[in-house]
Amino acid sequence: SGEGVQDILLLLCQMAQRKLWRQLMWHANLQCSVLEVKQIDGLGMTVDVLVVNGYLREGDRAVFCTLGGPVVAEIRGLLTPPPSRELRVKSEYIHHKEVKGALGVKLIGNGLEKVMAGTSVLTVQNDDELEDIKAEVMADLSSIHNKLNVDKAGVMVQASTLGALEALLQFLREETDPPIPVSAVGIGAIHKRDVTKISIMNEKGKPEFATILAFDVDISKEAREHAEEMGVRIFTADIIYHLFDQFTRYMENLLEQRRQEAAAIAVFPSIIRILPQHVFNQKD
């Protein structure tokens, strides 16, 4: 219902100001995290970030984390909404040459389509080694690399952030019985290319796995239309358990449908128990 949320936020603010202020002191080293990646009309693909400490400047070379490896892009613009507005609310943005944490900022750059929400962003300065910066940015992904391993046949899992993806994969593989195999993973909104990627399960003779489990992500209109054409199902939910329930229900219905189709030709096994007292024979 949302009751009590204000009280919790007030308590957190009070604790931070009274007891944790030394740990929350600002410093010049950049500490920046990706919040969201989205397409904006007139701006192209943008990245919403939270600058906790340090500076971001227009023209900086920033290193981002993607599933395909680190991406280096020049920051072409730093935008913030007008005062008392959110980044998510459409309005005229204020352009900045430099921003200082703590602040939510929208970054404009090239090649940001596959940036992963929940990962860190670092900038390359004159005395920095680019490869070291790339390795540090990819550390978040490397720490859960084993959990991101996929199976040859399975569903596709799409989540809003790296942490959400990790939690969902752990649930599907360790807390479900039987485990649900996963053949592909992704972060961010679902597009047509994602539907095309998982539709190959139909060609492999595994139509039940031509399925996308979408956790707290948007689905483009083009992707929905393409999914209907390719026979791909998309289950969406904001709670992990609801996704599991939807897929389990689908698998049960599919199994029952296959059982009915095979009823006329299949010979189903029977369990027979012999009652000794009711066996009659001439010889012992």
Side-chain angles (χ1 to χ4, degrees), residues 161-179:
T161 65
L162 183 60
L165 177 62
E166 181 182 4
L168 182 54
L169 288 175
Q170 181 177 354
F171 176 80
L172 296 177
R173 290 170 172 170
E174 300 178 10
E175 300 183 30
T176 59
D177 187 20

Side-chain angles (χ1 to χ4, degrees), residues 137-150:
V137 166
M138 295 300 294
D140 292 338
L141 187 60
S142 301
S143 63
I144 64 167
H145 184 267
N146 292 334
K147 294 182 180 180
L148 294 181
N149 289 338
V150 295

Side-chain angles (χ1 to χ4, degrees), residues 16-254:
Q17 292 173 358
R18 295 175 182 174
K19 298 183 179 181
L20 304 176
W21 63 273
R22 292 185 184 275
Q23 292 94 313
L24 296 176
M25 292 292 287
W26 183 88
H27 58 79
N29 294 329
L30 180 63
Q31 183 181 353
C32 179
S33 298
V34 178
L35 298 177
E36 189 177 10
V37 181
K38 57 185 176 182
Q39 181 84 22
I40 301 294
D41 294 339
L43 298 177
M45 193 62 68
T46 65
V47 178
D48 292 343
V49 301
L50 177 61
V51 183
V52 179
N53 285 299
Y55 296 91
L56 274 182
R57 298 176 179 87
E58 190 175 291
D60 280 350
R61 283 200 303 162
V63 184
F64 300 88
C65 175
T66 75
L67 284 174
V71 170
V72 181
E74 180 181 343
I75 298 177
R76 297 192 292 109
L78 296 168
L79 309 178
T80 60
S84 303
R85 292 288 185 90
E86 293 187 33
L87 282 172
R88 295 176 296 178
V89 178
K90 189 174 182 179
S91 59
E92 292 295 327
Y93 293 104
I94 301 174
H95 291 255
H96 300 268
K97 293 294 183 180
E98 177 184 277
V99 294
K100 174 184 177 182
L103 186 67
V105 187
K106 185 181 292 294
L107 304 184
I108 305 174
N110 296 323
L112 304 179
E113 295 81 6
K114 297 182 179 181
V115 173
M116 301 171 63
T119 57
S120 300
V121 179
L122 294 176
T123 56
V124 183
Q125 304 302 325
N126 295 331
D127 55 346
D128 292 332
E129 289 289 340
L130 179 58
E131 294 304 319
D132 292 341
I133 299 296
K134 288 182 178 180
E136 188 173 347
V137 166
M138 295 300 294
D140 292 338
L141 187 60
S142 301
S143 63
I144 64 167
H145 184 267
N146 292 334
K147 294 182 180 180
L148 294 181
N149 289 338
V150 295
D151 307 302
K152 292 183 178 180
V155 301
M156 171 180 276
V157 173
Q158 198 88 358
S160 55
T161 65
L162 183 60
L165 177 62
E166 181 182 4
L168 182 54
L169 288 175
Q170 181 177 354
F171 176 80
L172 296 177
R173 290 170 172 170
E174 300 178 10
E175 300 183 30
T176 59
D177 187 20
I180 298 176
V182 177
S183 63
V185 297
I187 291 179
I190 297 176
H191 301 284
K192 182 179 178 180
R193 62 178 179 270
D194 300 312
V195 176
T196 302
K197 183 177 182 179
I198 196 60
S199 66
I200 196 173
M201 288 298 151
N202 287 322
E203 301 175 9
K204 291 184 175 181
K206 300 283 186 178
E208 64 272 21
F209 292 145
T211 303
I212 300 177
L213 303 184
F215 177 59
D216 192 28
V217 295
D218 296 326
I219 306 170
S220 68
K221 181 180 178 181
E222 187 181 28
R224 290 187 182 276
E225 295 174 350
H226 191 54
E228 293 182 4
E229 297 174 0
M230 303 299 292
V232 173
R233 290 151 300 282
I234 303 178
F235 297 129
T236 63
D238 295 332
I239 300 175
I240 290 178
Y241 298 101
H242 292 176
L243 269 182
F244 170 70
D245 292 340
Q246 291 179 45
F247 183 72
T248 302
R249 195 178 307 116
Y250 161 71
M251 291 297 289
E252 291 174 350
N253 294 337
L254 181 63

